């Protein structure tokens, strides 16, 4: 099928599927090649998101931190108002990406969206999570700032409030 003249999104989907299969067979270099091509063909929207979710574990397996950070930056920019993109970055970064790199990435995003309260609140919430182990007081300030904004823009029963209550009940 890849030999046929296909529209970019369809070709990207086939490359992503093949990359998944190579990753599943632990052929990471071949998986990376296909997934990188897929991402270059269809970097935005749902197709790009799916490809990134396949590519990041490959980059983790290859221990390519520099490229992983580039791809995570791209992921965050796909929809910085959506906490799922932050969660996905955290999931893939866990245990091998330095927290300070993640904090820098989040701060860059905040600077790019100075007037978007939801992006700012997401940045505060996820920065707070990163700061907890080393700087719990600074983390607490971030969580409080996030809660203040979330209260204005999210429904009262939103799940983030439960998480914030649990976090802020802990002694610093």
């Amino acid at each position: 099928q890849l030999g046929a003249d296909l529209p970019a999104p369809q070709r990207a989907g086939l490359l992503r599927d093949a990359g998944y299969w190579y990753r599943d067979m632990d052929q990471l270099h071949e998986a990376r090649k296909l997934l990188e091509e897929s991402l270059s063909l269809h970097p935005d929207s749902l197709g790009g998101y799916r490809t990134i979710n396949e590519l990041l574990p490959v980059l983790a397996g290859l221990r390519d931190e520099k490229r992983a950070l580039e791809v995570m930056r791209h992921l965050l920019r796909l929809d910085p108002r959506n906490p799922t993109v932050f969660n996905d970055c955290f999931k893939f970064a866990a245990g091998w990406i330095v927290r300070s790199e993640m904090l820098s990435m989040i701060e860059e995003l905040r600077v790019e969206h100075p007037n978007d309260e939801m992006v700012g609140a997401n940045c505060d919430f996820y920065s707070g999570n990163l700061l907890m182990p080393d700087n719990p007081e600074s983390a607490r300030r971030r969580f409080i700032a996030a809660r203040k904004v979330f209260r204005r823009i999210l429904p009262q029963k939103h799940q983030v409030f439960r998480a914030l209550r649990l976090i802020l009940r802990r002694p610093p």
Side-chain angles (χ1 to χ4, degrees):
Q1 286 180 329
L2 287 171
D5 187 25
L6 300 170
Q10 189 176 352
R11 181 169 178 78
L14 290 172
L15 290 164
R16 181 180 54 248
D17 291 344
Y20 167 81
W21 295 324
Y22 276 107
R23 180 174 63 96
D24 195 45
M25 294 183 294
D26 206 29
Q27 295 181 22
L28 299 182
H29 291 285
E30 188 62 29
R32 179 183 184 166
K33 183 179 121 194
L34 296 169
L35 293 166
E36 292 281 9
E37 184 179 349
S38 174
L39 187 58
S40 73
L41 288 172
H42 201 222
D44 299 321
S45 74
L46 185 57
Y49 177 78
R50 288 179 179 156
T51 300
I52 288 169
N53 277 318
E54 295 298 333
L55 180 57
L56 283 172
V58 170
L59 296 171
L62 295 170
R63 306 308 275 178
D64 188 344
E65 182 177 354
K66 182 180 178 202
R67 180 62 180 144
L69 287 167
E70 291 169 1
V71 172
M72 285 189 283
R73 280 182 176 87
H74 181 80
L75 174 61
L76 285 174
R77 281 157 183 80
L78 285 177
D79 190 2
R81 304 184 97 241
N82 184 344
T84 300
V85 296
F86 287 87
N87 288 331
D88 287 346
C89 281
F90 271 56
K91 177 175 66 178
F92 293 116
W96 75 287
I97 300 287
V98 180
R99 270 193 304 248
S100 62
E101 291 285 349
M102 295 291 293
L103 280 167
S104 293
M105 186 184 333
I106 291 171
E107 287 307 311
E108 290 168 16
L109 190 64
R110 177 195 303 279
V111 169
E112 291 171 15
H113 299 273
N115 300 318
D116 191 318
E117 287 187 309
M118 186 65 176
V119 172
N122 279 336
C123 289
D124 280 332
F125 181 79
Y126 287 95
S127 292
N129 280 291
L130 288 167
L131 290 165
M132 277 303 273
D134 300 323
N135 192 342
E137 192 52 46
S138 183
R140 185 173 186 74
R141 285 191 299 273
R142 295 288 185 111
F143 288 131
I144 290 169
R147 181 179 64 187
K148 181 179 175 184
V149 173
F150 286 146
R151 280 183 174 160
R152 283 197 312 269
I153 59 180
L154 293 176
Q156 196 174 9
K157 301 271 185 191
H158 193 279
Q159 64 195 19
V160 74
F161 296 116
R162 182 175 186 275
L164 284 165
R165 275 192 304 278
L166 292 172
I167 291 167
L168 291 170
R169 280 186 192 152
R170 295 184 203 153

